[in-house]
Amino acid sequence: MRIVAADVVVTSPGRNFVTLKLTTDEGLTGLGDATLNGREQAVVAYLREHVVPLLLGTDPHRIEDTWQSLYRGAYWRRGPVTMAAIAAVDVALWDLKAKVAGLPLYQLLGGASRERVRTYGHANGRDVPELLDSVRARRAEGYQAVRVQTGVPGLQTVYGVHTGEAIARPTHRALPLVEDWDTPAYLRHLPTVLEAVRHEFGPELPLLHDAHHRLTPVQAAKLGKDVERYDLFWLEDCTPAENQEGFRTVRRHTTTPLAVGEVFNAVVDYQTLITEQLIDYARSAVTHFGGISPLKKLFDFAAMYQVKSAVHGPEDISPVGTAAAIHLDLAIHNFGIQEYSGHTDLTNEVFRHAYTFTDGHLHPGDAPGIGVEFDEELAAAHPYEAAYLPVNRLADGTVHDW
């Protein structure tokens, strides 16, 4: 069996997605997700100009060899563009291999370690009453764990708080939307928010919160300590993750569980965090970490230090990437939780998938491969639209972390 075609397709059924389709000489196809939100065309060029020519004529069964060739052979390793491109190839090859075997992908990863995959949903509001309504809505949808984000008094636009259908949706405009930020105001406000949510919903509901890399290690340590009494499932991205040593400060001052990693794309990004047990959950996405192959290795490494998985699952990862994550979640032993934002009906029509969501849990289904079919004709009716994610500025105009 040989790869005879490799097509890169960009579609925007509500937001942009980059899909790699590999075709073999036996007529089988495999799909991979290469979406990099706000930088989609950079990955498209990397795939079309640098990766596709290397794939044609190769054996699709040699997944590890292909991965190492694309990673080591370019000399310029890592980085989100490179790793998103490699991820698309890796997932497409696993999709093909599982189809040849006639099995759902999770069976090739060791089989199921659980019956279903626990998820958490997103609740948000411009103020506390609106947030409480959002939590009720997520619970009515079946979610049994909820991430809570709310507006901050005095700020106009804050990450994770929206008035439309999507959280952190790219803004289709000439320039990025500018959000504002005030760290002291946020640190004063968040404990009151969590207190209100706990008062309304009780101690049993798992609550998560995302600080979105906006705090210094000292600020993050203070926040972690201040919210301990509200028993968070985790505090996510409490300080910029590139500074792994900064988590030592946070860990020394709080017992609040910590999650990080959605912007990581290689195992070395985690080395200190995992070996020193500075985090509790590793949050990289299949789509941005180079695929299923390296992410499974990461979780096997993390398991030695009692760190669990928590794969990043926003709307800007296509159902192809979501399906791959669910298969991996079902198979690994140290699964923690899966973020699941869902997709629009139109997106689900373009990417018809076998995975299901029931009572706050996902299952990948038992279709051969990853279980996703790509409607290229419908995809073509929704072409790429240039879009930016927002930027964040302090009151004096200084650019801050978004």
Side-chain angles (χ1 to χ4, degrees):
M1 183 183 294
R2 297 289 167 180
I3 297 172
V4 296
D7 301 302
V8 183
V9 182
V10 188
T11 183
S12 187
R15 66 187 317 143
N16 295 318
F17 298 110
V18 181
T19 304
L20 174 68
K21 185 181 80 170
L22 300 182
T23 305
T24 73
D25 53 2
E26 297 182 6
L28 290 175
T29 60
L31 298 175
D33 179 26
T35 307
L36 187 61
N37 200 352
R39 295 295 182 267
E40 298 91 351
Q41 296 288 35
V43 187
V44 170
Y46 193 99
L47 280 168
R48 287 178 176 165
E49 302 298 327
H50 304 293
V51 174
V52 165
L54 302 175
L55 297 176
L56 299 179
T58 63
D59 180 355
H61 286 299
R62 299 185 63 172
I63 298 176
E64 182 69 17
D65 182 68
T66 299
W67 195 97
Q68 297 294 344
S69 177
L70 294 176
Y71 180 79
R72 299 177 187 275
Y75 183 72
W76 308 107
R77 302 180 183 183
R78 305 168 58 199
V81 173
T82 296
M83 300 310 285
I86 294 176
V89 176
D90 186 77
V91 172
L93 293 178
W94 277 111
D95 190 21
L96 279 168
K97 185 179 283 289
K99 286 177 179 176
V100 171
L103 294 170
L105 175 60
Y106 71 84
Q107 295 288 14
L108 273 63
L109 301 176
S113 288
R114 55 197 48 81
E115 298 303 316
R116 55 186 184 165
V117 172
R118 178 170 64 161
T119 71
Y120 70 89
H122 294 175
N124 71 97
R126 289 165 294 186
D127 54 28
V128 170
E130 194 172 90
L131 171 63
L132 297 180
D133 286 342
S134 183
V135 174
R136 293 186 191 99
R138 298 294 82 75
R139 296 189 76 188
E141 291 167 356
Y143 286 102
Q144 299 177 24
V146 181
R147 191 191 78 169
V148 292
Q149 309 291 138
T150 187
V152 176
L155 301 183
Q156 297 299 312
T157 51
V158 175
Y159 166 76
V161 178
H162 63 93
T163 56
E165 293 183 352
I167 293 176
R169 184 185 184 120
T171 304
H172 294 265
R173 48 188 284 163
L175 294 173
L177 173 71
V178 177
E179 296 183 350
D180 51 353
W181 187 249
D182 182 335
T183 299
Y186 162 76
L187 291 175
R188 291 191 299 269
H189 184 59
L190 183 62
T192 68
V193 172
L194 296 178
E195 182 175 10
V197 175
R198 277 287 178 234
H199 178 76
E200 182 70 17
F201 297 101
E204 293 85 9
L205 178 64
L207 296 179
L208 305 83
H209 177 74
D210 185 359
H212 223 240
H213 309 108
R214 296 188 174 184
L215 308 177
T216 66
V218 170
Q219 292 167 340
K222 181 181 186 304
L223 178 62
K225 187 174 182 178
D226 287 347
V227 302
E228 281 179 3
R229 59 187 180 276
Y230 304 116
D231 190 28
L232 284 183
F233 186 90
W234 77 40
L235 176 61
E236 178 183 343
D237 292 343
C238 60
T239 191
E242 296 92 334
N243 178 18
Q244 296 187 35
E245 291 80 4
F247 280 78
R248 294 176 182 145
T249 298
V250 183
R251 198 60 139 182
R252 280 196 298 266
H253 291 88
T254 181
T255 57
T256 296
L258 303 175
V260 76
E262 69 183 60
V263 299
F264 286 175
N265 48 70
V267 66
V268 293
D269 297 323
Y270 282 102
Q271 188 169 1
T272 298
L273 298 174
I274 289 177
T275 58
E276 296 188 19
Q277 301 181 74
L278 301 179
I279 60 172
D280 302 278
Y281 297 91
R283 296 215 60 249
S284 290
V286 172
T287 299
H288 302 140
F289 201 77
I292 293 165
S293 299
L295 196 55
K296 187 177 187 304
K297 293 174 184 177
L298 171 72
F299 292 146
D300 288 342
F301 169 57
M304 294 189 293
Y305 299 91
Q306 297 178 301
V307 174
K308 294 185 176 182
S309 75
V311 175
H312 187 43
E315 287 181 339
D316 52 70
I317 288 173
S318 86
V320 173
T322 300
I326 300 167
H327 281 277
L328 184 60
D329 292 335
L330 198 70
I332 60 174
H333 176 70
N334 58 323
F335 169 75
I337 200 167
Q338 171 67 52
E339 180 180 19
Y340 182 62
S341 301
H343 293 94
T344 65
D345 290 341
L346 180 57
T347 297
N348 289 329
E349 290 178 27
V350 173
F351 301 92
R352 296 187 299 274
H353 52 78
Y355 65 78
T356 55
F357 176 74
T358 307
D359 296 330
H361 292 77
L362 289 162
H363 191 279
D366 288 310
I370 62 171
V372 179
E373 297 180 8
F374 184 42
D375 188 330
E376 294 185 67
E377 183 176 348
L378 183 56
H382 300 278
Y384 168 79
E385 299 182 54
Y388 286 100
L389 287 170
V391 297
N392 197 36
R393 292 183 181 272
L394 304 178
D396 66 358
T398 301
V399 173
H400 195 57
D401 293 296
W402 188 82

